[in-house]
Amino acid sequence: MESPQQTANASSPFKKSDFTFDKDFNNIIDLLLNGSNPDAVGKAVAQLDEKFENAKQVLDSLPGLQYTKEEQEVILAQELKVLERKKQQLDSYKHLTTLS
């Protein structure tokens, strides 16, 4: 059976490599220092720009980012209260006698 952390990692909408840009920067710097043709540099810059856009899209798709940390904590507290109330309701329904 998977732990909640393993489940979260398996269903994660992105990979760590989506947010790793150092190799791309180094590649562009190497191309510039080695005097590569402008087309190669332009292509590398375009690829990095595309990677930035993809990373932005991933971040924009994450739920709850429109809320501040404080707002998220308030929402969490409210939802925990709802959960507790529903657990109490379920417990009270379990104790009801069934009609046949």
Side-chain angles (χ1 to χ4, degrees), residues 8-19:
N9 289 341
S11 64
S12 179
F14 58 89
K15 304 178 297 286
K16 185 176 179 179
S17 63
D18 291 340
F19 298 93

Side-chain angles (χ1 to χ4, degrees), residues 33-45:
L33 292 176
N34 293 329
S36 295
N37 69 34
D39 290 339
V41 174
K43 183 178 178 181
V45 170

Side-chain angles (χ1 to χ4, degrees), residues 43-63:
K43 183 178 178 181
V45 170
Q47 288 173 339
L48 178 61
D49 186 51
E50 183 177 326
K51 196 169 179 181
F52 280 141
E53 283 300 315
N54 289 337
K56 184 181 180 313
Q57 288 175 356
V58 168
L59 290 176
D60 289 343
S61 71
L62 294 176

Side-chain angles (χ1 to χ4, degrees), residues 2-96:
E2 290 185 15
S3 72
Q5 186 176 10
Q6 289 172 328
T7 304
N9 289 341
S11 64
S12 179
F14 58 89
K15 304 178 297 286
K16 185 176 179 179
S17 63
D18 291 340
F19 298 93
T20 306
F21 307 105
D22 56 337
K23 290 179 183 178
D24 301 287
F25 281 119
N26 288 336
N27 182 38
I28 293 169
I29 291 168
D30 286 342
L31 290 172
L32 290 169
L33 292 176
N34 293 329
S36 295
N37 69 34
D39 290 339
V41 174
K43 183 178 178 181
V45 170
Q47 288 173 339
L48 178 61
D49 186 51
E50 183 177 326
K51 196 169 179 181
F52 280 141
E53 283 300 315
N54 289 337
K56 184 181 180 313
Q57 288 175 356
V58 168
L59 290 176
D60 289 343
S61 71
L62 294 176
L65 287 182
Q66 71 271 25
Y67 302 111
T68 64
K69 179 181 177 188
E70 293 77 18
E71 290 170 326
Q72 289 178 0
E73 289 171 346
V74 168
I75 292 169
L76 176 61
Q78 291 169 344
E79 294 300 320
L80 288 173
K81 286 179 185 176
V82 169
L83 177 61
E84 187 57 37
R85 188 189 63 200
K86 290 186 179 202
K87 284 181 179 180
Q88 290 172 353
Q89 288 174 339
L90 182 59
D91 283 342
S92 68
Y93 293 142
K94 286 180 181 177
H95 292 69
L96 293 177

